[in-house]
């Protein structure tokens, strides 16, 4: 097996991957905490999110080994950041949201980097894509 498993994730890193959507969504609780608690800036998590987005979308397609490695490292930073001692003072719901979104992103980054069969990609391949296309057709025909 080669690393990364996919040289370019699904043929294009800028397609709507759940890595990108989950990582972008993680910005919301991070920035809420940043705004509501000015002395508890979440620099570590924010740098992990921004580094992960750049690594996945911009570096991976051109330099696959470096991009995949940086994406996995950034995803680990976002996942582990809420467990830092400074985050104990954060509202728990924001820390939980960041962890869950990081796990969602990890599902995609691990699948593309290591070739592991992850839960969300398995559901997508087993009929989730077809269900989404059918739902989109129903909505399009109703409008």
């Amino acid at each position: 097996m080669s690393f990364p498993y996919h040289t370019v994730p699904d043929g294009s890193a800028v397609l709507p991957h759940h890595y990108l959507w989950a990582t972008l969504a993680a910005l919301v609780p991070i920035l809420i905490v940043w705004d509501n608690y000015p002395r508890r800036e979440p620099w570590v998590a924010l740098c992990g999110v921004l580094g992960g987005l750049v690594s996945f979308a911009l570096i991976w397609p051109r330099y696959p080994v470096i991009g995949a490695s940086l994406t996995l490292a950034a995803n680990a930073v976002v996942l582990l950041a809420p467990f830092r001692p400074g985050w104990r003072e954060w509202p728990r719901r924001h820390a939980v949201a960041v962890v869950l979104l990081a796990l969602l992103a990890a599902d995609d980054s691990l699948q593309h980097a290591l070739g592991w069969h992850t839960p969300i990609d398995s559901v997508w391949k087993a009929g989730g894509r077809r269900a989404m296309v059918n739902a989109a057709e129903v909505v399009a025909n109703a409008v």
Side-chain angles (χ1 to χ4, degrees):
M1 181 173 96
S2 65
F3 179 81
Y5 186 75
H6 292 135
T7 306
V8 179
D10 293 339
S12 175
V14 294
L15 289 173
H17 291 273
H18 53 280
Y19 178 83
L20 296 174
W21 291 111
T23 307
L24 285 170
L27 281 174
V28 174
I30 290 169
L31 294 177
I32 287 173
V33 170
W34 192 312
D35 185 49
N36 292 347
Y37 303 94
R39 288 191 167 79
R40 302 177 199 153
E41 290 93 1
W43 279 105
V44 174
L46 182 65
C47 289
V49 164
L50 297 177
L53 290 171
V54 169
S55 299
F56 190 86
L58 300 177
I59 298 173
W60 194 326
R62 191 152 243 230
Y63 305 102
V65 174
I66 296 169
S69 301
L70 290 174
T71 299
L72 292 173
N75 199 177
V77 166
V78 175
L79 181 63
L80 297 174
F83 298 105
R84 292 183 55 234
W87 276 51
R88 291 190 184 124
E89 302 169 2
W90 280 33
R92 185 170 301 275
R93 67 182 181 272
H94 298 303
V96 168
V98 171
V99 168
L100 291 177
L101 289 166
L103 288 172
L104 178 63
D107 179 272
D108 202 28
S109 62
L110 290 170
Q111 193 273 329
H112 291 304
L114 304 175
W116 295 353
H117 296 289
T118 55
I120 294 173
D121 282 322
S122 297
V123 169
W124 183 255
K125 291 174 185 170
R129 182 179 188 282
R130 184 75 245 160
M132 291 295 288
V133 169
N134 290 343
E137 289 174 355
V138 168
V139 170
N141 292 334
V143 174

